[in-house]
Amino acid sequence: MDNDLISIVTVVKNDANRLRETIESIAKQTYKPMELIIIDGKSTDGTLDIIREHENMITAWKSEPDSGIYDAMNKGVLPATGKWILFMNAGDTFASDNVLSALITACEPNTDILYGDTEMLYGEIGVLRKARPLSLLKYGPIAVPQSMLIRRELLMDYPLQSKLYLGADHDFQYEQYLRGKTFQHVPITVACFAYGGYSNQYIATSCWHSLRASWSKKPDIHVPLVLGYKVLLVWFILYPLRFMLPKHIFGRLQCVRQRIQNRNINSPFASL
């Protein structure tokens, strides 16, 4: 096994068209010590046809019911043989063809979690979302899993906690931080991630699970205050605007909001 083999785990259910985009983006990577594992949640559309069409580049795949996205992601880790795990789910793509090469080249010897920035897509409009400082981990994840390489043994030792549902990403990152694992940020855009995913649609639920994840590890009164502000912002401003404004105008407003957050990267509210 190559010491720097990357195992890409892709989770999908009834999303054939976007799965094709993801597989094609993975295939274009210039970094070749790589394997692709697909976990399908018993799709009934053309998803399995897409998987079979690209079977020559898929190391392993299965199609069976699961108890949610994080359960499926954990299933993908089990057959992986790489040193690194990267979660690239259906609809996600890499920002460039050589981004994995750039990450591995920049990786320092003792790094446990290697991560970069993300391009958030609001419809046809994209904007950079810089990774947050480690000091803000108690408020939420510092980066999305699509822009993060994680040593496989960390996920084997502490799998994603599906009981925390939408807070599992945050819980995992914060747990590794408290355990003293080494995080390394590489200032490049790794993945393109579409706004409107499950955690974006159920933002209040996501905040509640993030609060549970953070409070159970290290209680801090500032956490519910910041997350409560986030819920109010979304419910009373962003959600109404999302349904009132044309998509392209709402997308531009989101881009402005993201740029403001990037400029105030060290503020707890920059994680919103």
Side-chain angles (χ1 to χ4, degrees):
M1 183 184 72
D2 191 303
N3 286 337
D4 287 321
L5 179 68
I6 297 174
S7 300
I8 298 178
V9 175
T10 296
V11 170
V12 62
K13 184 177 181 180
N14 293 329
D15 204 352
N17 291 334
R18 297 208 310 160
L19 176 62
R20 182 189 295 276
E21 294 175 11
T22 299
I23 293 176
E24 290 175 351
S25 176
I26 294 169
K28 291 177 182 177
Q29 284 298 300
T30 58
Y31 187 83
K32 294 308 178 187
M34 177 177 65
E35 63 179 7
L36 173 59
I37 297 164
I38 297 182
I39 305 298
D40 172 67
K42 205 67 176 177
S43 292
T44 56
D45 64 348
T47 295
L48 295 184
D49 294 331
I50 299 299
I51 292 175
R52 294 188 180 102
E53 180 184 330
H54 296 86
E55 211 159 10
N56 64 315
M57 65 167 291
I58 299 172
T59 304
W61 69 275
K62 65 169 58 179
S63 180
E64 63 183 22
D66 55 59
S67 58
I69 186 171
Y70 293 104
D71 177 45
M73 290 163 74
N74 284 331
K75 287 182 180 182
V77 174
L78 296 178
T81 61
K83 173 180 178 179
W84 302 100
I85 300 290
L86 186 144
F87 295 107
M88 179 68 63
N89 296 333
D92 304 326
T93 57
F94 287 111
S96 68
D97 295 345
N98 64 351
V99 69
L100 291 181
S101 293
L103 281 175
I104 293 298
T105 299
C107 183
E108 297 172 358
N110 296 322
T111 296
D112 295 305
I113 297 177
L114 184 67
Y115 62 102
D117 303 326
T118 306
E119 183 179 12
M120 300 295 293
L121 301 176
Y122 300 98
E124 299 298 319
I125 304 171
V127 64
L128 176 67
R129 185 187 193 276
K130 292 182 180 179
R132 300 329 188 201
L134 284 172
S135 60
L136 297 183
L137 248 178
K138 62 185 176 182
Y139 300 109
I142 55 172
V144 298
Q146 292 84 345
S147 294
M148 185 173 282
L149 291 177
I150 304 167
R151 285 187 183 264
R152 181 177 180 271
E153 62 262 29
L154 301 185
L155 287 158
M156 293 298 293
D157 181 56
Y158 188 84
L160 296 165
Q161 303 297 296
S162 54
K163 65 182 179 181
L164 286 172
Y165 204 36
L166 300 176
D169 292 336
H170 178 207
D171 173 79
F172 177 81
Q173 293 178 29
Y174 197 34
E175 177 70 20
Q176 302 310 315
Y177 175 71
L178 293 177
R179 290 186 180 194
K181 300 303 180 182
T182 302
F183 289 70
Q184 180 190 347
H185 176 239
V186 181
I188 60 174
T189 305
V190 177
C192 300
F193 179 74
Y195 179 86
Y198 213 64
S199 59
N200 295 131
Q201 295 178 38
Y202 299 96
I203 195 72
T205 305
S206 179
C207 286
W208 167 243
H209 289 300
S210 274
L211 175 59
R212 286 177 59 199
S214 181
W215 194 269
S216 65
K217 299 179 189 303
K218 196 172 182 180
D220 185 327
I221 191 60
H222 294 96
V223 175
L225 294 177
V226 170
L227 294 180
Y229 176 85
K230 179 178 181 178
V231 172
L232 292 175
L233 173 69
V234 171
W235 274 1
F236 292 102
I237 298 179
L238 293 183
Y239 271 3
L241 289 177
R242 183 177 185 180
F243 295 104
M244 292 168 55
L245 298 175
K247 286 185 178 180
H248 69 283
I249 295 179
F250 178 75
R252 292 187 181 281
L253 285 176
Q254 288 284 61
C255 289
V256 170
R257 181 173 71 93
Q258 190 62 67
R259 291 189 183 104
I260 292 173
Q261 290 177 358
N262 287 340
R263 292 194 188 102
N264 297 277
I265 198 73
N266 291 311
S267 166
F269 299 99
S271 62
L272 305 185

